[in-house]
């Protein structure tokens, strides 16, 4: 970004210089103007200006005083001086103050362009050099932090390296705590990553000497001087509407203790899932936990025994009992993790049995494998309950389907054995002990046609065989397949086969005679 300030007490000169600058083939972001040194100094304080083109002689504050005051104010700007022949001595003094050159009045276009381009090239070179230095410095800091993080996570570090790192911030490493910040997000809430915002707030609270950021993801981890109050950071985050839970290690002394502090703060972070009411969890919060436990497999078996019945309320109640807060908080977090794994394993076993019958439906068991994918234990239990209730519904439907298939098989067997008798839907539904309307819907849904249509097709199939294989009269065939009315049989046969029974029998006989002739010719 390049901004230029033109300073002259004569407006026509300011306007003329601005017009020339606007026509030059140089990239300028802005051109400002001032009528004297006082006005120019205020602009230099307010705006980011890289080049000042100023007259030497001006009322109130001349160009030399402007340069001197800018230097006192540590304003970084380059100066070009405009002067007349009689002001040459002033011009020499201006150059001694750091001016990049001077222009004689009246200012010629080509002289202005050459001087401006020369100074701008210097400015651009300095800006690029500054950016490169910042990039190198940033990369060096990132490299140092990566080495520190690797050491924190268990990589080896020699005494020379440890001493070098401690020497960069001896006050901090003499006594510090690790603070892990877990941002609170609702389940499925996309949210923006606030790690860098939280880091900035931490530096504001503790200063860069009293705080070092060690990790951004998956959670922000800070090393903070031992005397600092973690609650101050949580209060500042809350003021910025960033909800977070802090896990704070015990006091540490020396960089060699960093891996132990990291292991401790990770353990505290995991236990924060069992203590959702605590905003800041410290080692004292998990002291005295019962280290002896046994996963309640019998209760889990009893819970899964209820799968497949219309008892979703009992299942939800069973989950709440097994995963009750008072039970989980009695033991270390490892108990809860083992309980979750055992429940997921049973869920998988039950799903494996029913999977071939689920079609495109499926349980999302993978979403339950890691407790720490959820904002808290309540969200995990809710997800577990949802999957168990889905499994319960699948099993219930499967059992109903199995029972229904048995009932349908018996109904079809009964129809094929009794098609020649007077038969209707009520008789068959009574035979399989099902409600009339329910059986009617079940039959059509699973067989693909209604009961009356199916019975008609069974009877007509038997009739075609009798017509083709016997010499029974048509009226006899009708009675033999269950039609009390001869006319009803004729009409049903014609509707399905497209011909009368007599014509159908004739066609079958003609077909048999042609087959016999072909066989005789072949001999």
């Amino acid at each position: 970004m390049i901004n230029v300030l033109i300073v002259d007490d004569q407006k026509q000169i300011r306007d003329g210089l601005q017009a020339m600058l606007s026509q030059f083939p140089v990239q300028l972001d802005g051109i400002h103007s001032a009528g004297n040194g006082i006005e120019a100094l205020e602009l230099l304080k307010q705006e980011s200006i890289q080049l000042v083109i100023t007259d030497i002689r001006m009322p109130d504050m001349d160009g030399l005083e402007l340069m001197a005051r800018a230097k006192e104010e540590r304003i970084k700007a380059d100066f070009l001086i405009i002067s007349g022949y009689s002001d040459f001595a002033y011009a020499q003094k201006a150059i001694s103050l750091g001016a990049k050159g001077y222009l004689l009045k009246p200012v010629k276009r080509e002289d202005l362009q050459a001087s401006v381009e020369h100074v701008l090239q210097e400015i651009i070179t300095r800006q690029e050099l500054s950016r490169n230095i910042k990039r190198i410095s940033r990369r060096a800091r990132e490299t140092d932090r990566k080495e520190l993080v690797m050491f924190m996570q268990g990589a080896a570090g020699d005494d020379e390296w440890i001493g070098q790192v401690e020497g960069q911030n001896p006050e901090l490493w003499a006594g510090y705590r690790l603070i892990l910040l877990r941002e609170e997000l609702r389940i499925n809430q996309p949210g923006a990553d606030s790690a860098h915002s939280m880091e900035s707030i931490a530096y504001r609270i503790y200063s860069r000497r009293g705080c070092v950021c060690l990790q951004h993801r998956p959670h922000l981890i800070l090393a903070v001087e031992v005397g600092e109050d973690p609650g101050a950071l949580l209060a500042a985050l809350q003021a910025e509407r960033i909800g977070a839970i802090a896990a704070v290690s015990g006091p540490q002394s020396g960089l060699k203790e960093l891996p132990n502090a990291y292991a401790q703060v990770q353990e505290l972070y995991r236990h924060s899932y069992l203590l959702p009411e605590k905003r800041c969890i410290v080692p004292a919060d998990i002291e005295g936990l019962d280290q002896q436990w046994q996963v309640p497999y019998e209760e889990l078996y009893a819970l899964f025994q209820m799968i497949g019945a219309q008892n979703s309320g009992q299942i939800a109640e069973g989950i709440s009992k097994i995963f009750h807060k008072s039970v989980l908080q009695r033991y270390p977090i490892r108990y809860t993790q083992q309980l979750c794994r055992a429940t997921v394993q049973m869920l998988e076993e039950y799903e494996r049995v029913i999977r071939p019958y689920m079609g495109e439906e499926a349980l999302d068991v993978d979403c339950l494998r890691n407790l720490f994918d959820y904002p808290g234990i309540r969200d995990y239990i809710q997800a577990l309950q949802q999957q168990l209730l889905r499994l319960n519904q699948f099993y219930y439907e499967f059992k109903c389907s199995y029972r229904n298939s048995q009932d349908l098989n018996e109904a079809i067997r009964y129809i094929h054995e009794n098609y020649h008798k007077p038969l209707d839907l009520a008789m068959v539904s009574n035979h399989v002990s099902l409600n009339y309307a329910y059986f009617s819907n079940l039959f059509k849904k699973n067989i693909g046609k209604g009961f009356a249509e199916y019975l008609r097709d069974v009877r007509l199939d038997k009739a075609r065989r009798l017509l083709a294989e016997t010499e029974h009269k048509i009226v006899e065939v009708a009675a033999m397949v269950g039609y009390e009315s001869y006319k009803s049989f004729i009409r049903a046969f014609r509707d399905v086969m497209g011909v009368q029974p007599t014509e159908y029998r004739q066609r079958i006989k003609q077909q048999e005679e042609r087959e016999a002739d072909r066989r005789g010719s072949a001999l």
Side-chain angles (χ1 to χ4, degrees), residues 122-138:
E122 283 191 21
I123 293 172
I124 291 170
T125 301
R126 285 202 308 270
Q127 288 178 341
E128 184 61 31
L129 180 60
S130 177
R131 283 194 290 268
N132 288 338
I133 291 173
K134 287 180 179 178
R135 280 196 292 268
I136 292 170
S137 177
R138 185 170 60 250

Side-chain angles (χ1 to χ4, degrees), residues 416 419 453-469 477 481 483 489 492-493 496-497 504:
H416 280 265
Y419 69 90
E453 184 180 359
Y454 183 81
L455 177 61
R456 180 203 65 188
D457 291 346
V458 170
R459 285 172 168 173
L460 292 182
D461 182 62
K462 302 294 184 181
R464 287 195 297 271
R465 293 175 60 184
L466 289 172
L467 290 171
E469 298 171 3
V477 170
V481 297
Y483 279 92
F489 170 70
F493 195 95
V496 173
M497 301 302 299
Y504 175 81

